[in-house]
Amino acid sequence: MANIKDVAERAGVSVATVSRVLNGNSPVAETRERVLAAVRELGYRPNNVARALRTARTGALGLVISDLTNPFFTELADAVEDAARSLGYSLVIGNAGERPEQQDDYIRTLLDRRIDGLLVSSAGTGSAMLREVVASGTPLVLLDRTVPGIDAPCVRADGRAALTDLAAHLAALGRRPAIIVAPAGTPTGDERLELFRAALAAHGIPLPDERVGATPDLQPTGGRRVMSDLLDLPEPPDAVLATDNLMALGAMDELRARGLRVPDDMALVVYDDVPWFAHTDPPLTAIAQPTRDLGRAAVHALLERVEGRPAATVLLPARLVTRHSCGEPGAERSTAPRAWT
């Protein structure tokens, strides 16, 4: 079985350098990649028990995700796991199911397991356990969702440019938009509503309160209920932005139940792109978040905290992908080059 000296010889570096890379503490990307390639080639497995005794670390990170049934969060968790494993860390995942009390149970369990650091995509708008994490000094990074009152860096997507592009797109198509958002008070939902409303106003398009539908939850049932209310308005919209992919599914269920078609009767845009959106009929126009990049950035930010260094909030740009669900002519295109893989 290969040992750390074998890895050092294969990579052409010192044992100390291998150790730093495996602890997420290599400042040179080329060196890190060379060491990790040697780890993979030799099948080296660090002795985490011995390492924990020497460093008081376990080599494990925790991730509490808000809802693993949501395709966006499933891909995000996968990206986090890939990034953690590439740096020699294992990942323990808890699914909050959008329930703050379940989130707190998982956080408590992960802290009991003496994880080296914690990533949280928060369910709800905060919890007592998150405040305890901060008070305890356990390295914490928020992922995708900010939490009021929690002093921790957050890695998330910035939708400003994508929503600006979407407003211009709908204006050019002559659409009268509405929006389906998360429950009022949810930071992500409130931000997306504010940005979309401001972007539409720049084109002289109003977004009155009656065309803003807040769901009671982030599930298809909530999206369907709001779509029903929008369709029953005296002057219903002819375009809807659903700010979550599960809510969009419910909105499509309601349209189908009423015999309405996308995009002929209703244009539909979804915040969060998932692979099968390109294969629906019609293919769905969506705002795509850089999920893989978010996962990598979150792990690197957390390891900075683990090493005792400061980590800043990270904003990565989302982008609008136009397909055919707003009545667009032509083939699929993106408003910006894809900068991630």
Side-chain angles (χ1 to χ4, degrees):
M1 180 180 294
N3 58 39
I4 194 168
K5 291 182 179 179
D6 297 327
V7 173
E9 290 178 4
R10 177 66 64 91
V13 298
S14 68
V15 169
T17 297
V18 174
S19 179
R20 284 195 296 272
V21 169
L22 295 178
N23 283 309
N25 193 25
S26 174
V28 180
E30 188 273 334
T31 300
R32 182 173 64 249
E33 292 305 317
R34 197 163 71 247
V35 169
L36 294 176
V39 168
R40 290 190 293 269
E41 291 168 8
L42 296 173
Y44 172 65
R45 297 184 65 182
N47 186 334
N48 287 334
V49 173
R51 183 169 67 180
L53 291 173
R54 292 193 306 270
T55 67
R57 295 182 186 167
T58 62
L61 304 177
L63 169 65
V64 179
I65 209 78
S66 52
D67 185 5
L68 275 174
T69 67
N70 185 316
F72 168 72
F73 289 114
T74 304
E75 185 178 3
L76 188 59
D78 183 65
V80 169
E81 183 177 34
D82 280 351
R85 284 169 57 87
S86 74
L87 293 170
Y89 283 83
S90 60
L91 185 71
V92 185
I93 302 176
N95 175 28
E98 296 292 2
R99 293 188 289 273
E101 66 280 2
Q102 186 165 309
Q103 170 181 285
D104 285 0
D105 287 343
Y106 275 116
I107 292 175
R108 190 175 296 108
T109 298
L110 290 169
L111 293 179
D112 288 344
R113 295 187 63 169
R114 297 180 61 240
I115 54 168
D116 294 339
L118 180 63
L119 290 167
V120 177
S121 175
S122 182
T125 56
S127 72
M129 279 305 303
L130 279 178
R131 289 188 288 274
E132 286 188 28
V133 172
V134 174
S136 73
T138 300
L140 171 68
V141 171
L142 301 175
L143 181 55
D144 181 61
R145 298 176 177 178
T146 59
V147 179
I150 298 299
D151 184 17
C154 183
V155 176
R156 62 191 184 95
D158 181 0
R160 185 180 305 272
L163 288 168
T164 298
D165 290 341
L166 175 59
H169 184 61
L170 294 176
L173 294 171
R175 293 286 186 169
R176 184 174 61 254
I179 187 172
I180 301 175
V181 295
T186 306
T188 301
D190 290 349
E191 179 184 72
R192 291 173 184 176
L193 170 59
E194 178 183 349
L195 291 175
F196 189 47
R197 181 172 259 156
L200 290 172
H203 294 275
I205 301 173
L207 186 63
D209 289 343
E210 61 267 23
R211 282 197 253 131
V212 176
T215 63
D217 52 43
L218 296 172
Q219 299 300 316
T221 51
R224 180 167 186 174
R225 187 182 310 173
V226 171
M227 179 60 87
S228 177
D229 292 341
L230 292 172
L231 291 172
D232 288 340
L233 289 173
E235 187 179 13
D238 61 4
V240 169
L241 166 63
T243 58
D244 176 90
N245 59 75
L246 293 182
M247 295 189 299
L249 294 179
M252 287 189 285
D253 286 342
E254 183 62 21
L255 291 171
R256 188 180 304 109
R258 296 194 185 208
L260 301 175
R261 292 181 56 83
V262 175
D264 298 339
D265 303 302
M266 180 70 69
L268 182 65
V269 182
V270 187
Y271 203 112
D272 290 339
D273 196 18
V274 295
W276 48 267
F277 281 179
H279 306 289
T280 58
D281 184 18
L284 294 175
T285 291
I287 291 176
Q289 302 194 71
T291 316
R292 310 304 301 186
D293 286 351
L294 289 171
R296 285 191 290 268
V299 170
H300 283 282
L302 183 58
L303 293 183
E304 289 293 303
R305 299 294 301 269
V306 168
E307 293 295 330
R309 295 188 291 267
T313 286
V314 176
L315 290 176
L316 300 176
R319 64 192 179 101
L320 176 67
V321 178
T322 56
R323 296 189 177 103
H324 301 298
S325 61
C326 295
E328 300 93 338
E332 175 184 340
R333 63 181 179 85
S334 171
T335 57
R338 187 160 189 154
W340 51 86
T341 58

